Amino acid sequence: QNYLDNFWPDFKAAHELLDSIIQARRERESESQENNGKEYPEHLPVEILEAGIKSGRFLQGTLNVNKHRAQLEAFVRLQGCGSKDTG
């Protein structure tokens, strides 16, 4: 903002863009605070997930996504299983 104020005081479009960015950032921060700092809301409460993992109803693993073909290629590596047990 200082840069725009000092070097481009009459560049209205740039000032409007900056104001828009600042407003969007504030909205995102307030949403993050509402979600307890989490970017995405949880589908199930943590207690239910933990109970499901312990009972064997749910499986816990790591999602691996190909960074070059993210839309087409990914797999889940289950914890406690060998590298061949993926699906």
Side-chain angles (χ1 to χ4, degrees):
Q1 185 165 0
N2 290 337
Y3 175 79
L4 289 177
D5 291 340
N6 291 327
F7 295 102
W8 300 94
D10 299 327
F11 192 8
K12 186 177 179 180
H15 285 276
E16 290 174 358
L17 177 61
L18 178 63
D19 292 340
S20 175
I21 292 170
I22 290 171
Q23 181 180 353
R25 185 175 175 192
R26 286 182 184 148
E27 290 174 4
R28 185 171 182 187
E29 287 173 355
S30 69
E31 288 174 2
S32 178
Q33 289 174 354
E34 291 173 4
N35 293 330
N36 298 325
K38 297 177 181 165
E39 189 171 347
Y40 300 101
E42 297 174 346
H43 293 285
L44 294 173
V46 174
E47 299 82 22
I48 293 175
L49 291 174
E50 289 174 346
I53 291 170
K54 286 181 183 177
S55 70
R57 181 174 180 203
F58 300 132
L59 300 174
Q60 185 173 6
T62 304
L63 176 66
N64 295 289
V65 180
N66 183 331
K67 66 180 178 181
H68 303 290
R69 298 172 38 121
Q71 296 292 326
L72 302 173
E73 192 173 311
F75 66 94
V76 175
R77 185 178 310 265
L78 300 177
Q79 291 184 354
C81 295
S83 61
K84 293 181 182 179
D85 294 340
T86 57

